[in-house]
Amino acid sequence: MPEQENRKRVIESANFNCVFGDNNEPLLAHFKDVLYPALTASNVIKYSNGYFNVENIKITEHSTLGYILTGVFVKQTELEILSQRDQDTGKLVFTDQKYQTAPYSIFAILLKNHRMLFYKNQKGSPRLSTFRKIVEDLVIKFLKEANHNIPYDDRLPSAHITILLLPSHNSLKEIFNNIKKIDSIEYKILPLNGDNDFRGPFQAILKQVMDLDASSCKMKFNGPDNKNKVIEQIEGTRDLARSTVHAYTNAGDSITLTEKEFVEKKVVELPKDADREEVIGALYNVADNYPALTETSNSNAELYRQKTDDIKSLMG
């Protein structure tokens, strides 16, 4: 028998920050009555050049990671081929072919701390940034139906979703080794998902954001010289803020760095035809060996304990 072909794939790690209503209630506060039914309603969202949906939504219990929400994120689109190279002559020839295609990604959200892992199955698979947009639209669509003819004060709350990529210390060190001068660093601070006991560089600022019921806060530091402290600060705000660094490389080039450059990415090797369960097993293995994905604040742990029965009731 021929050897099974393996492929290397990147798993992205992030913080799935979902808050509800004007008071920024955390994810589990409305997981049972808003988020879960929105994801399982079988709705399809048209966006950009495709149709998107989530399917195979499941909640499973892991011995160390707790309850985890998993699913498949699908992009249905049409691939149009108008030219190709003739294999015999090598010349470019015109053609008119159309193929239906449905590339997908697989996600896992740890319900005890809303960390998530995201696996793109192939080139063209839907991206994590698109996942945020589609999930928010699925919630909007669900709420439009669920709140129809319901008195205003009794309506289910709207959701605001942000996905913050988790920065990697190694990636940050590698990037900043190539930086000669930092022009500025900017942070956009966002409300936390139930982490009322957050401890980090911007703890006092976060308290003011919450006291003011503000949707976000922006901060800017000009000309910081201590690169190690900048790295430490970016790592320390991973659940809280989007960071943007404007700098000059050792070669004198001007660059702008965002969370996309800082993200923690784990490479896994799986069979080319790996099924959903094999991929999810790989996601669990990554999470189980990555402390930033398993750490849970006291307030999130308490809310998770309170909502365990709600989560179990959705498992069937």
PDB file of all heavy atoms in Angstrom, residues 83-114:
ATOM      1  N   SER A  83      -8.568  30.766 -18.123  1.00  0.00           N
ATOM      2  CA  SER A  83      -7.357  30.476 -18.897  1.00  0.00           C
ATOM      3  C   SER A  83      -6.546  29.408 -18.180  1.00  0.00           C
ATOM      4  O   SER A  83      -6.636  29.263 -16.961  1.00  0.00           O
ATOM      5  CB  SER A  83      -6.515  31.739 -19.080  1.00  0.00           C
ATOM      6  OG  SER A  83      -6.089  32.238 -17.834  1.00  0.00           O
ATOM      7  N   GLN A  84      -5.777  28.659 -18.936  1.00  0.00           N
ATOM      8  CA  GLN A  84      -4.874  27.654 -18.380  1.00  0.00           C
ATOM      9  C   GLN A  84      -3.768  27.382 -19.394  1.00  0.00           C
ATOM     10  O   GLN A  84      -3.857  27.791 -20.555  1.00  0.00           O
ATOM     11  CB  GLN A  84      -5.622  26.374 -18.024  1.00  0.00           C
ATOM     12  CG  GLN A  84      -6.357  25.734 -19.163  1.00  0.00           C
ATOM     13  CD  GLN A  84      -7.218  24.560 -18.719  1.00  0.00           C
ATOM     14  OE1 GLN A  84      -7.763  23.853 -19.540  1.00  0.00           O
ATOM     15  NE2 GLN A  84      -7.367  24.361 -17.435  1.00  0.00           N
ATOM     16  N   ARG A  85      -2.734  26.699 -18.963  1.00  0.00           N
ATOM     17  CA  ARG A  85      -1.617  26.409 -19.863  1.00  0.00           C
ATOM     18  C   ARG A  85      -1.777  25.017 -20.477  1.00  0.00           C
ATOM     19  O   ARG A  85      -2.035  24.051 -19.776  1.00  0.00           O
ATOM     20  CB  ARG A  85      -0.285  26.499 -19.109  1.00  0.00           C
ATOM     21  CG  ARG A  85       0.917  26.594 -20.036  1.00  0.00           C
ATOM     22  CD  ARG A  85       2.180  26.895 -19.249  1.00  0.00           C
ATOM     23  NE  ARG A  85       2.134  28.180 -18.576  1.00  0.00           N
ATOM     24  CZ  ARG A  85       2.357  29.343 -19.184  1.00  0.00           C
ATOM     25  NH1 ARG A  85       2.615  29.370 -20.485  1.00  0.00           N
ATOM     26  NH2 ARG A  85       2.317  30.472 -18.502  1.00  0.00           N
ATOM     27  N   ASP A  86      -1.663  24.948 -21.785  1.00  0.00           N
ATOM     28  CA  ASP A  86      -1.757  23.670 -22.485  1.00  0.00           C
ATOM     29  C   ASP A  86      -0.562  22.789 -22.113  1.00  0.00           C
ATOM     30  O   ASP A  86       0.593  23.212 -22.218  1.00  0.00           O
ATOM     31  CB  ASP A  86      -1.779  23.903 -24.002  1.00  0.00           C
ATOM     32  CG  ASP A  86      -2.052  22.618 -24.766  1.00  0.00           C
ATOM     33  OD1 ASP A  86      -1.109  21.817 -24.905  1.00  0.00           O
ATOM     34  OD2 ASP A  86      -3.191  22.430 -25.218  1.00  0.00           O
ATOM     35  N   GLN A  87      -0.827  21.562 -21.644  1.00  0.00           N
ATOM     36  CA  GLN A  87       0.237  20.688 -21.164  1.00  0.00           C
ATOM     37  C   GLN A  87       1.172  20.227 -22.279  1.00  0.00           C
ATOM     38  O   GLN A  87       2.349  19.931 -22.039  1.00  0.00           O
ATOM     39  CB  GLN A  87      -0.377  19.470 -20.471  1.00  0.00           C
ATOM     40  CG  GLN A  87      -1.073  19.818 -19.161  1.00  0.00           C
ATOM     41  CD  GLN A  87      -1.581  18.587 -18.441  1.00  0.00           C
ATOM     42  OE1 GLN A  87      -1.570  17.482 -18.983  1.00  0.00           O
ATOM     43  NE2 GLN A  87      -2.030  18.772 -17.208  1.00  0.00           N
ATOM     44  N   ASP A  88       0.700  20.175 -23.509  1.00  0.00           N
ATOM     45  CA  ASP A  88       1.524  19.706 -24.629  1.00  0.00           C
ATOM     46  C   ASP A  88       2.363  20.826 -25.227  1.00  0.00           C
ATOM     47  O   ASP A  88       3.559  20.651 -25.477  1.00  0.00           O
ATOM     48  CB  ASP A  88       0.639  19.075 -25.710  1.00  0.00           C
ATOM     49  CG  ASP A  88      -0.076  17.822 -25.204  1.00  0.00           C
ATOM     50  OD1 ASP A  88       0.537  17.096 -24.398  1.00  0.00           O
ATOM     51  OD2 ASP A  88      -1.233  17.601 -25.608  1.00  0.00           O
ATOM     52  N   THR A  89       1.731  21.980 -25.444  1.00  0.00           N
ATOM     53  CA  THR A  89       2.441  23.069 -26.131  1.00  0.00           C
ATOM     54  C   THR A  89       3.049  24.081 -25.161  1.00  0.00           C
ATOM     55  O   THR A  89       3.945  24.833 -25.533  1.00  0.00           O
ATOM     56  CB  THR A  89       1.474  23.815 -27.067  1.00  0.00           C
ATOM     57  OG1 THR A  89       0.457  24.466 -26.283  1.00  0.00           O
ATOM     58  CG2 THR A  89       0.819  22.851 -28.045  1.00  0.00           C
ATOM     59  N   GLY A  90       2.538  24.115 -23.929  1.00  0.00           N
ATOM     60  CA  GLY A  90       3.013  25.092 -22.958  1.00  0.00           C
ATOM     61  C   GLY A  90       2.429  26.473 -23.164  1.00  0.00           C
ATOM     62  O   GLY A  90       2.761  27.406 -22.443  1.00  0.00           O
ATOM     63  N   LYS A  91       1.556  26.609 -24.165  1.00  0.00           N
ATOM     64  CA  LYS A  91       0.974  27.918 -24.462  1.00  0.00           C
ATOM     65  C   LYS A  91      -0.245  28.179 -23.587  1.00  0.00           C
ATOM     66  O   LYS A  91      -0.939  27.252 -23.161  1.00  0.00           O
ATOM     67  CB  LYS A  91       0.575  27.990 -25.940  1.00  0.00           C
ATOM     68  CG  LYS A  91       1.753  27.973 -26.910  1.00  0.00           C
ATOM     69  CD  LYS A  91       1.270  28.103 -28.345  1.00  0.00           C
ATOM     70  CE  LYS A  91       2.448  28.125 -29.315  1.00  0.00           C
ATOM     71  NZ  LYS A  91       1.998  28.241 -30.730  1.00  0.00           N
ATOM     72  N   LEU A  92      -0.480  29.478 -23.352  1.00  0.00           N
ATOM     73  CA  LEU A  92      -1.646  29.886 -22.591  1.00  0.00           C
ATOM     74  C   LEU A  92      -2.878  29.798 -23.483  1.00  0.00           C
ATOM     75  O   LEU A  92      -2.903  30.344 -24.588  1.00  0.00           O
ATOM     76  CB  LEU A  92      -1.462  31.321 -22.087  1.00  0.00           C
ATOM     77  CG  LEU A  92      -2.420  31.812 -20.999  1.00  0.00           C
ATOM     78  CD1 LEU A  92      -2.218  31.028 -19.716  1.00  0.00           C
ATOM     79  CD2 LEU A  92      -2.206  33.296 -20.750  1.00  0.00           C
ATOM     80  N   VAL A  93      -3.889  29.084 -23.037  1.00  0.00           N
ATOM     81  CA  VAL A  93      -5.117  28.941 -23.823  1.00  0.00           C
ATOM     82  C   VAL A  93      -6.286  29.428 -22.988  1.00  0.00           C
ATOM     83  O   VAL A  93      -6.275  29.381 -21.752  1.00  0.00           O
ATOM     84  CB  VAL A  93      -5.347  27.475 -24.252  1.00  0.00           C
ATOM     85  CG1 VAL A  93      -4.251  27.015 -25.201  1.00  0.00           C
ATOM     86  CG2 VAL A  93      -5.423  26.560 -23.045  1.00  0.00           C
ATOM     87  N   PHE A  94      -7.284  29.910 -23.694  1.00  0.00           N
ATOM     88  CA  PHE A  94      -8.469  30.424 -23.012  1.00  0.00           C
ATOM     89  C   PHE A  94      -9.505  29.317 -22.852  1.00  0.00           C
ATOM     90  O   PHE A  94      -9.656  28.459 -23.724  1.00  0.00           O
ATOM     91  CB  PHE A  94      -9.052  31.604 -23.792  1.00  0.00           C
ATOM     92  CG  PHE A  94      -8.130  32.789 -23.815  1.00  0.00           C
ATOM     93  CD1 PHE A  94      -7.302  33.016 -24.910  1.00  0.00           C
ATOM     94  CD2 PHE A  94      -8.064  33.654 -22.739  1.00  0.00           C
ATOM     95  CE1 PHE A  94      -6.430  34.098 -24.926  1.00  0.00           C
ATOM     96  CE2 PHE A  94      -7.199  34.738 -22.748  1.00  0.00           C
ATOM     97  CZ  PHE A  94      -6.382  34.959 -23.845  1.00  0.00           C
ATOM     98  N   THR A  95     -10.203  29.356 -21.743  1.00  0.00           N
ATOM     99  CA  THR A  95     -11.221  28.357 -21.467  1.00  0.00           C
ATOM    100  C   THR A  95     -12.356  29.017 -20.701  1.00  0.00           C
ATOM    101  O   THR A  95     -12.263  30.190 -20.314  1.00  0.00           O
ATOM    102  CB  THR A  95     -10.632  27.190 -20.652  1.00  0.00           C
ATOM    103  OG1 THR A  95     -11.630  26.189 -20.469  1.00  0.00           O
ATOM    104  CG2 THR A  95     -10.147  27.664 -19.290  1.00  0.00           C
ATOM    105  N   ASP A  96     -13.399  28.310 -20.486  1.00  0.00           N
ATOM    106  CA  ASP A  96     -14.534  28.842 -19.721  1.00  0.00           C
ATOM    107  C   ASP A  96     -15.109  27.712 -18.875  1.00  0.00           C
ATOM    108  O   ASP A  96     -15.997  26.983 -19.303  1.00  0.00           O
ATOM    109  CB  ASP A  96     -15.598  29.404 -20.662  1.00  0.00           C
ATOM    110  CG  ASP A  96     -16.706  30.128 -19.900  1.00  0.00           C
ATOM    111  OD1 ASP A  96     -16.574  30.268 -18.663  1.00  0.00           O
ATOM    112  OD2 ASP A  96     -17.712  30.527 -20.519  1.00  0.00           O
ATOM    113  N   GLN A  97     -14.540  27.557 -17.657  1.00  0.00           N
ATOM    114  CA  GLN A  97     -14.956  26.473 -16.785  1.00  0.00           C
ATOM    115  C   GLN A  97     -15.366  27.029 -15.423  1.00  0.00           C
ATOM    116  O   GLN A  97     -14.781  27.991 -14.931  1.00  0.00           O
ATOM    117  CB  GLN A  97     -13.815  25.473 -16.588  1.00  0.00           C
ATOM    118  CG  GLN A  97     -13.304  24.845 -17.871  1.00  0.00           C
ATOM    119  CD  GLN A  97     -12.130  23.921 -17.611  1.00  0.00           C
ATOM    120  OE1 GLN A  97     -12.225  23.025 -16.775  1.00  0.00           O
ATOM    121  NE2 GLN A  97     -11.034  24.132 -18.317  1.00  0.00           N
ATOM    122  N   LYS A  98     -16.364  26.409 -14.852  1.00  0.00           N
ATOM    123  CA  LYS A  98     -16.836  26.822 -13.520  1.00  0.00           C
ATOM    124  C   LYS A  98     -17.003  25.590 -12.648  1.00  0.00           C
ATOM    125  O   LYS A  98     -17.534  24.574 -13.084  1.00  0.00           O
ATOM    126  CB  LYS A  98     -18.157  27.586 -13.636  1.00  0.00           C
ATOM    127  CG  LYS A  98     -18.027  28.922 -14.356  1.00  0.00           C
ATOM    128  CD  LYS A  98     -19.352  29.649 -14.455  1.00  0.00           C
ATOM    129  CE  LYS A  98     -19.185  30.977 -15.187  1.00  0.00           C
ATOM    130  NZ  LYS A  98     -20.479  31.694 -15.326  1.00  0.00           N
ATOM    131  N   TYR A  99     -16.514  25.708 -11.402  1.00  0.00           N
ATOM    132  CA  TYR A  99     -16.601  24.601 -10.464  1.00  0.00           C
ATOM    133  C   TYR A  99     -17.180  25.092  -9.139  1.00  0.00           C
ATOM    134  O   TYR A  99     -16.784  26.151  -8.634  1.00  0.00           O
ATOM    135  CB  TYR A  99     -15.220  23.993 -10.206  1.00  0.00           C
ATOM    136  CG  TYR A  99     -14.559  23.402 -11.427  1.00  0.00           C
ATOM    137  CD1 TYR A  99     -13.669  24.162 -12.192  1.00  0.00           C
ATOM    138  CD2 TYR A  99     -14.816  22.092 -11.812  1.00  0.00           C
ATOM    139  CE1 TYR A  99     -13.053  23.623 -13.312  1.00  0.00           C
ATOM    140  CE2 TYR A  99     -14.204  21.541 -12.938  1.00  0.00           C
ATOM    141  CZ  TYR A  99     -13.319  22.308 -13.679  1.00  0.00           C
ATOM    142  OH  TYR A  99     -12.720  21.773 -14.789  1.00  0.00           O
ATOM    143  N   GLN A 100     -18.101  24.324  -8.611  1.00  0.00           N
ATOM    144  CA  GLN A 100     -18.602  24.614  -7.270  1.00  0.00           C
ATOM    145  C   GLN A 100     -17.592  24.092  -6.253  1.00  0.00           C
ATOM    146  O   GLN A 100     -17.124  22.958  -6.354  1.00  0.00           O
ATOM    147  CB  GLN A 100     -19.965  23.957  -7.050  1.00  0.00           C
ATOM    148  CG  GLN A 100     -21.071  24.519  -7.923  1.00  0.00           C
ATOM    149  CD  GLN A 100     -21.330  25.991  -7.625  1.00  0.00           C
ATOM    150  OE1 GLN A 100     -21.415  26.409  -6.474  1.00  0.00           O
ATOM    151  NE2 GLN A 100     -21.450  26.783  -8.689  1.00  0.00           N
ATOM    152  N   THR A 101     -17.255  24.914  -5.272  1.00  0.00           N
ATOM    153  CA  THR A 101     -16.266  24.514  -4.272  1.00  0.00           C
ATOM    154  C   THR A 101     -16.724  24.944  -2.885  1.00  0.00           C
ATOM    155  O   THR A 101     -17.452  25.938  -2.745  1.00  0.00           O
ATOM    156  CB  THR A 101     -14.887  25.130  -4.600  1.00  0.00           C
ATOM    157  OG1 THR A 101     -13.944  24.719  -3.616  1.00  0.00           O
ATOM    158  CG2 THR A 101     -14.945  26.641  -4.646  1.00  0.00           C
ATOM    159  N   ALA A 102     -16.314  24.194  -1.886  1.00  0.00           N
ATOM    160  CA  ALA A 102     -16.741  24.490  -0.511  1.00  0.00           C
ATOM    161  C   ALA A 102     -15.588  24.268   0.462  1.00  0.00           C
ATOM    162  O   ALA A 102     -15.614  23.358   1.291  1.00  0.00           O
ATOM    163  CB  ALA A 102     -17.941  23.625  -0.129  1.00  0.00           C
ATOM    164  N   PRO A 103     -14.554  25.087   0.390  1.00  0.00           N
ATOM    165  CA  PRO A 103     -13.457  24.970   1.364  1.00  0.00           C
ATOM    166  C   PRO A 103     -13.964  25.289   2.774  1.00  0.00           C
ATOM    167  O   PRO A 103     -14.900  26.058   2.942  1.00  0.00           O
ATOM    168  CB  PRO A 103     -12.444  26.006   0.881  1.00  0.00           C
ATOM    169  CG  PRO A 103     -13.253  26.995   0.102  1.00  0.00           C
ATOM    170  CD  PRO A 103     -14.363  26.214  -0.529  1.00  0.00           C
ATOM    171  N   TYR A 104     -13.322  24.700   3.763  1.00  0.00           N
ATOM    172  CA  TYR A 104     -13.804  24.878   5.128  1.00  0.00           C
ATOM    173  C   TYR A 104     -12.646  25.026   6.114  1.00  0.00           C
ATOM    174  O   TYR A 104     -11.500  24.692   5.818  1.00  0.00           O
ATOM    175  CB  TYR A 104     -14.682  23.696   5.556  1.00  0.00           C
ATOM    176  CG  TYR A 104     -13.959  22.375   5.661  1.00  0.00           C
ATOM    177  CD1 TYR A 104     -13.321  21.985   6.837  1.00  0.00           C
ATOM    178  CD2 TYR A 104     -13.913  21.497   4.573  1.00  0.00           C
ATOM    179  CE1 TYR A 104     -12.651  20.777   6.933  1.00  0.00           C
ATOM    180  CE2 TYR A 104     -13.255  20.280   4.655  1.00  0.00           C
ATOM    181  CZ  TYR A 104     -12.625  19.931   5.838  1.00  0.00           C
ATOM    182  OH  TYR A 104     -11.956  18.735   5.930  1.00  0.00           O
ATOM    183  N   SER A 105     -12.997  25.535   7.277  1.00  0.00           N
ATOM    184  CA  SER A 105     -12.089  25.608   8.421  1.00  0.00           C
ATOM    185  C   SER A 105     -12.785  24.959   9.603  1.00  0.00           C
ATOM    186  O   SER A 105     -14.009  24.799   9.608  1.00  0.00           O
ATOM    187  CB  SER A 105     -11.729  27.056   8.745  1.00  0.00           C
ATOM    188  OG  SER A 105     -11.076  27.680   7.651  1.00  0.00           O
ATOM    189  N   ILE A 106     -12.007  24.579  10.597  1.00  0.00           N
ATOM    190  CA  ILE A 106     -12.563  23.954  11.798  1.00  0.00           C
ATOM    191  C   ILE A 106     -12.158  24.791  13.012  1.00  0.00           C
ATOM    192  O   ILE A 106     -11.017  25.242  13.102  1.00  0.00           O
ATOM    193  CB  ILE A 106     -12.070  22.501  11.943  1.00  0.00           C
ATOM    194  CG1 ILE A 106     -12.667  21.643  10.809  1.00  0.00           C
ATOM    195  CG2 ILE A 106     -12.450  21.915  13.302  1.00  0.00           C
ATOM    196  CD1 ILE A 106     -12.189  20.208  10.805  1.00  0.00           C
ATOM    197  N   PHE A 107     -13.095  25.006  13.924  1.00  0.00           N
ATOM    198  CA  PHE A 107     -12.813  25.827  15.103  1.00  0.00           C
ATOM    199  C   PHE A 107     -13.175  25.089  16.381  1.00  0.00           C
ATOM    200  O   PHE A 107     -14.008  24.183  16.396  1.00  0.00           O
ATOM    201  CB  PHE A 107     -13.566  27.156  15.040  1.00  0.00           C
ATOM    202  CG  PHE A 107     -15.069  27.022  15.050  1.00  0.00           C
ATOM    203  CD1 PHE A 107     -15.770  27.036  16.250  1.00  0.00           C
ATOM    204  CD2 PHE A 107     -15.788  26.884  13.870  1.00  0.00           C
ATOM    205  CE1 PHE A 107     -17.149  26.920  16.274  1.00  0.00           C
ATOM    206  CE2 PHE A 107     -17.171  26.750  13.877  1.00  0.00           C
ATOM    207  CZ  PHE A 107     -17.859  26.773  15.085  1.00  0.00           C
ATOM    208  N   ALA A 108     -12.510  25.483  17.454  1.00  0.00           N
ATOM    209  CA  ALA A 108     -12.812  24.962  18.789  1.00  0.00           C
ATOM    210  C   ALA A 108     -12.722  26.116  19.771  1.00  0.00           C
ATOM    211  O   ALA A 108     -11.720  26.837  19.797  1.00  0.00           O
ATOM    212  CB  ALA A 108     -11.827  23.852  19.171  1.00  0.00           C
ATOM    213  N   ILE A 109     -13.786  26.325  20.555  1.00  0.00           N
ATOM    214  CA  ILE A 109     -13.827  27.399  21.553  1.00  0.00           C
ATOM    215  C   ILE A 109     -13.937  26.775  22.942  1.00  0.00           C
ATOM    216  O   ILE A 109     -14.880  26.031  23.221  1.00  0.00           O
ATOM    217  CB  ILE A 109     -15.014  28.349  21.303  1.00  0.00           C
ATOM    218  CG1 ILE A 109     -14.898  28.997  19.912  1.00  0.00           C
ATOM    219  CG2 ILE A 109     -15.072  29.431  22.386  1.00  0.00           C
ATOM    220  CD1 ILE A 109     -16.100  29.832  19.518  1.00  0.00           C
ATOM    221  N   LEU A 110     -12.968  27.075  23.796  1.00  0.00           N
ATOM    222  CA  LEU A 110     -12.978  26.570  25.170  1.00  0.00           C
ATOM    223  C   LEU A 110     -13.941  27.436  25.985  1.00  0.00           C
ATOM    224  O   LEU A 110     -13.714  28.635  26.162  1.00  0.00           O
ATOM    225  CB  LEU A 110     -11.576  26.629  25.782  1.00  0.00           C
ATOM    226  CG  LEU A 110     -10.582  25.524  25.394  1.00  0.00           C
ATOM    227  CD1 LEU A 110     -10.297  25.511  23.905  1.00  0.00           C
ATOM    228  CD2 LEU A 110      -9.289  25.671  26.183  1.00  0.00           C
ATOM    229  N   LEU A 111     -15.021  26.836  26.464  1.00  0.00           N
ATOM    230  CA  LEU A 111     -16.078  27.619  27.091  1.00  0.00           C
ATOM    231  C   LEU A 111     -15.703  28.153  28.468  1.00  0.00           C
ATOM    232  O   LEU A 111     -16.299  29.117  28.937  1.00  0.00           O
ATOM    233  CB  LEU A 111     -17.356  26.782  27.180  1.00  0.00           C
ATOM    234  CG  LEU A 111     -17.963  26.404  25.811  1.00  0.00           C
ATOM    235  CD1 LEU A 111     -19.230  25.573  26.002  1.00  0.00           C
ATOM    236  CD2 LEU A 111     -18.266  27.648  24.981  1.00  0.00           C
ATOM    237  N   LYS A 112     -14.707  27.571  29.114  1.00  0.00           N
ATOM    238  CA  LYS A 112     -14.352  28.055  30.450  1.00  0.00           C
ATOM    239  C   LYS A 112     -13.556  29.358  30.405  1.00  0.00           C
ATOM    240  O   LYS A 112     -13.505  30.088  31.386  1.00  0.00           O
ATOM    241  CB  LYS A 112     -13.581  26.995  31.228  1.00  0.00           C
ATOM    242  CG  LYS A 112     -12.201  26.677  30.715  1.00  0.00           C
ATOM    243  CD  LYS A 112     -11.539  25.627  31.608  1.00  0.00           C
ATOM    244  CE  LYS A 112     -10.142  25.288  31.128  1.00  0.00           C
ATOM    245  NZ  LYS A 112      -9.514  24.256  32.003  1.00  0.00           N
ATOM    246  N   ASN A 113     -12.937  29.663  29.268  1.00  0.00           N
ATOM    247  CA  ASN A 113     -12.148  30.895  29.205  1.00  0.00           C
ATOM    248  C   ASN A 113     -12.212  31.591  27.842  1.00  0.00           C
ATOM    249  O   ASN A 113     -11.449  32.523  27.596  1.00  0.00           O
ATOM    250  CB  ASN A 113     -10.683  30.612  29.569  1.00  0.00           C
ATOM    251  CG  ASN A 113     -10.016  29.655  28.594  1.00  0.00           C
ATOM    252  OD1 ASN A 113     -10.591  29.267  27.575  1.00  0.00           O
ATOM    253  ND2 ASN A 113      -8.788  29.266  28.891  1.00  0.00           N
ATOM    254  N   HIS A 114     -13.102  31.134  26.970  1.00  0.00           N
ATOM    255  CA  HIS A 114     -13.343  31.683  25.629  1.00  0.00           C
ATOM    256  C   HIS A 114     -12.096  31.823  24.757  1.00  0.00           C
ATOM    257  O   HIS A 114     -12.035  32.653  23.853  1.00  0.00           O
ATOM    258  CB  HIS A 114     -14.112  33.008  25.691  1.00  0.00           C
ATOM    259  CG  HIS A 114     -13.576  34.032  26.635  1.00  0.00           C
ATOM    260  ND1 HIS A 114     -12.553  34.875  26.324  1.00  0.00           N
ATOM    261  CD2 HIS A 114     -13.935  34.343  27.909  1.00  0.00           C
ATOM    262  CE1 HIS A 114     -12.297  35.650  27.349  1.00  0.00           C
ATOM    263  NE2 HIS A 114     -13.121  35.345  28.325  1.00  0.00           N
TER     264      HIS A 114
END
